């Protein structure tokens, strides 16, 4: 299977097809060179690439938008100037997206180090890790847990467990089921709505507009601190 390396000044579209070769269309002058199984593509404008579904893809640069669909080999994206769209892809690692990230259907894990705008992911079979998000983040139907660092806007993890410390500029809605010994510190400029698993065992310290209070779930085997500029709501089915 080939390895495709892309460097484009404008938009990049990568799609799968049923051929073993790689096809490229350029809007502006560009070139493609091959050395053994590695194909390097350079474009001064937009480019559209068709490649085998199981190939490996490295996008060194897309100056504007990038769209990748149905590529199940490993994917690495070093830089996208504006929006990145992923549809039905394999394991993906992203260094930087200038604006928004929209990923739907990832077989494996999704890792993004920096997203300038908002981030949305749905149907990821393993963990989602996004270090820094300038806007808001929403995750749905995630097989693993969410690992983050800072989110400028709001956080909505509808059916996803948070598994790291996290700083939230807006409000946060998430689930927690910490393992024994885990220690999480989560702060939000707005409110926090946190659902714990029925079997959760944790000591919880809450700081919000109503003051400081604490409670213990189970044997208190983990340590959780929740701090909010608004209110903190904690619930479980029990």
């Amino acid at each position: 299977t080939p390895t495709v390396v892309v460097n484009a000044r404008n938009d990049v579209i990568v799609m799968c097809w049923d051929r073993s070769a790689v096809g490229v269309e350029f809007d502006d002058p560009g070139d493609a060179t091959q050395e053994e199984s590695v194909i390097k593509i350079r474009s001064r404008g937009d480019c559209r690439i068709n490649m085998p579904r199981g190939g490996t893809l490295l996008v060194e640069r897309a100056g504007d938008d990038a769209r990748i669909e149905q590529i199940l080999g490993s994917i690495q994206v070093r830089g996208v100037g504006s929006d990145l769209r992923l549809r039905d892809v394999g394991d993906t690692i992203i260094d930087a997206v200038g604006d928004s990230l929209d990923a739907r259907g990832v077989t494996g894990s999704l890792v993004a180090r920096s997203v300038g705008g908002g981030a949305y992911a749905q149907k990821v079979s393993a963990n989602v890790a996004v270090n820094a998000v300038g806007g808001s983040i929403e995750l749905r139907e995630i097989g693993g847990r969410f690992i983050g660092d800072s989110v400028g806007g709001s956080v909505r993890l509808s059916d996803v467990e948070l598994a790291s410390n996290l700083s939230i500029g807006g409000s946060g809605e998430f689930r927690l089921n910490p393992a024994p010994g885990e220690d999480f510190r989560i702060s939000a400029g707005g409110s926090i709505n946190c659902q714990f698993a029925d079997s959760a065992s944790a000591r919880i310290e809450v700081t919000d507009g109503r003051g400081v209070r604490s409670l213990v779930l189970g044997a208190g085997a983990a340590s959780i601190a929740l701090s909010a500029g608004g209110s903190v709501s904690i619930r479980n089915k029990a």
Side-chain angles (χ1 to χ4, degrees), residues 144-156:
R145 301 202 289 177
F146 172 64
I147 301 164
D149 185 13
S150 65
V151 177
S154 62
V155 171
R156 187 176 181 184

Side-chain angles (χ1 to χ4, degrees), residues 28-164:
D28 292 301
D31 62 81
T33 60
Q34 181 171 1
E35 183 175 341
E36 296 181 348
S37 63
V38 178
I39 299 168
K40 295 184 178 181
I41 298 168
R42 289 185 172 272
S43 173
R44 297 178 185 175
D46 301 341
C47 68
R48 179 187 176 96
I49 301 164
N50 291 96
M51 61 181 286
R53 188 184 306 271
T56 299
L57 175 65
L58 168 58
V59 179
E60 291 185 328
R61 180 180 70 140
D64 289 329
D65 298 334
R67 189 168 92 237
I68 304 169
E69 297 187 10
Q70 298 182 327
I71 305 300
L72 297 180
S74 64
I75 296 171
Q76 183 174 357
V77 178
R78 288 186 178 157
V80 172
S82 188
D83 299 333
L84 173 60
R85 300 288 179 267
L86 304 171
R87 297 291 186 272
D88 300 320
V89 297
D91 273 309
T92 302
I93 298 175
I94 302 159
D95 287 342
V97 176
D99 199 348
S100 66
L101 169 64
D102 186 335
R104 308 187 191 198
V106 179
T107 303
S109 60
L110 174 64
V111 176
R113 296 186 173 92
S114 174
V115 179
Y120 177 85
Q122 183 175 9
K123 293 185 178 178
V124 179
S125 67
N127 288 342
V128 174
V130 185
N131 289 356
V133 181
S136 298
I137 186 167
E138 182 175 0
L139 305 180
R140 297 177 178 272
E141 300 176 71
I142 308 301
R145 301 202 289 177
F146 172 64
I147 301 164
D149 185 13
S150 65
V151 177
S154 62
V155 171
R156 187 176 181 184
L157 311 181
S158 298
D159 53 359
V160 188
E161 292 174 4
L162 176 61
S164 68

